[in-house]
């Protein structure tokens, strides 16, 4: 996919997500539909949420194969994005120290923290079977999308 195709697909996805979550205030219901919409739009390998509960990330709504249920603060890509409070793009998961392999087929990953004020309340995690799937366009749009939640 070219950069311009990706941009267009995100523009349309963003509008679709806005309309699907409009008027619904249940976080789990919205995360469920958002994971489905992102997953279907790009055909990623795994797309889902981990939610901060009692000081640990717990698996939330997702699309794709079965995944690890709990990730501690500072562990894996998800726990590191939570600790740093910033989006992390991993072009090759095998080169990320401490990466948690829920699926051996995952090759690259992006994790976007979701904030309640200044506190991280959840993260969006997306895995790809290809290397270097994610770039600044993904960070930009996924941060905008998660800002709706
Ligand atoms: N790879 C993640 C774990 C979650 S799965 O990819 C669904 C991590 O290192 O945090």
């Amino acid at each position: 996919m070219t950069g311009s195709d990706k941009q267009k697909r995100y523009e349309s996805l963003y509008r679709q997500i806005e309309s699907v979550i409009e008027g619904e205030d249940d976080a789990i219901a919205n995360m469920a539909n958002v994971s489905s919409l992102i997953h279907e739009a790009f055909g990623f390998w795994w797309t889902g949420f981990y939610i901060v509960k009692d000081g640990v990330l717990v698996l939330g709504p997702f699309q794709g194969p079965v995944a690890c249920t709990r990730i501690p603060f500072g562990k894996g890509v998800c726990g590191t994005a939570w600790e740093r409070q910033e989006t992390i793009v991993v072009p090759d998961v095998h080169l990320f120290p401490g990466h948690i392999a829920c699926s051996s087929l995952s090759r690259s990953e992006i994790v976007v923290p979701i904030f309640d004020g200044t506190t991280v309340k959840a993260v969006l995690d997306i895995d790809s079977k290809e290397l270097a799937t994610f770039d600044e366009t993904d960070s930009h749009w996924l941060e905008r999308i998660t800002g709706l939640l």
Side-chain angles (χ1 to χ4, degrees):
M1 190 188 313
T2 67
S4 140
D5 288 344
K6 187 189 269 196
Q7 175 74 18
K8 283 189 195 129
R9 205 171 292 191
Y10 270 118
E11 283 168 10
S12 146
L13 176 64
Y14 183 83
R15 283 195 296 274
Q16 205 181 354
I17 287 173
E18 264 186 324
S19 83
V20 165
I21 70 177
E22 191 189 355
E24 178 53 68
D25 64 3
D26 187 274
I28 298 293
N30 286 336
M31 285 180 186
N33 273 335
V34 168
S35 65
S36 172
L37 287 165
I38 296 171
H39 198 72
E40 297 291 317
F42 288 97
F44 293 132
W45 174 239
W46 195 93
T47 308
F49 293 89
Y50 282 90
I51 302 164
V52 176
K53 282 185 191 166
D54 300 327
V56 64
L57 285 169
V58 181
L59 183 63
F62 72 94
Q63 302 281 310
V66 67
C68 342
T69 53
R70 287 171 187 269
I71 301 176
F73 184 73
K75 300 293 181 190
V77 186
C78 292
T80 305
W82 176 18
E83 182 177 37
R84 292 189 197 159
Q85 306 206 330
E86 64 187 25
T87 298
I88 299 182
V89 173
V90 183
D92 181 347
V93 296
H94 295 118
L95 301 180
F96 187 94
H99 166 256
I100 300 166
C102 293
S103 160
S104 58
L105 295 178
S106 176
R107 308 282 300 280
S108 61
E109 181 164 0
I110 184 169
V111 178
V112 180
I114 304 170
F115 294 90
D116 179 7
T118 56
T119 308
V120 175
K121 63 176 179 180
V123 300
L124 168 65
D125 178 18
I126 306 179
D127 289 23
S128 165
K129 283 204 282 187
E130 321 295 326
L131 287 170
T133 294
F134 307 101
D135 57 23
E136 282 176 8
T137 303
D138 299 277
S139 306
H140 169 78
W141 283 100
L142 295 171
E143 284 171 9
R144 281 196 68 186
I145 287 167
T146 53
L148 297 169
L149 294 168

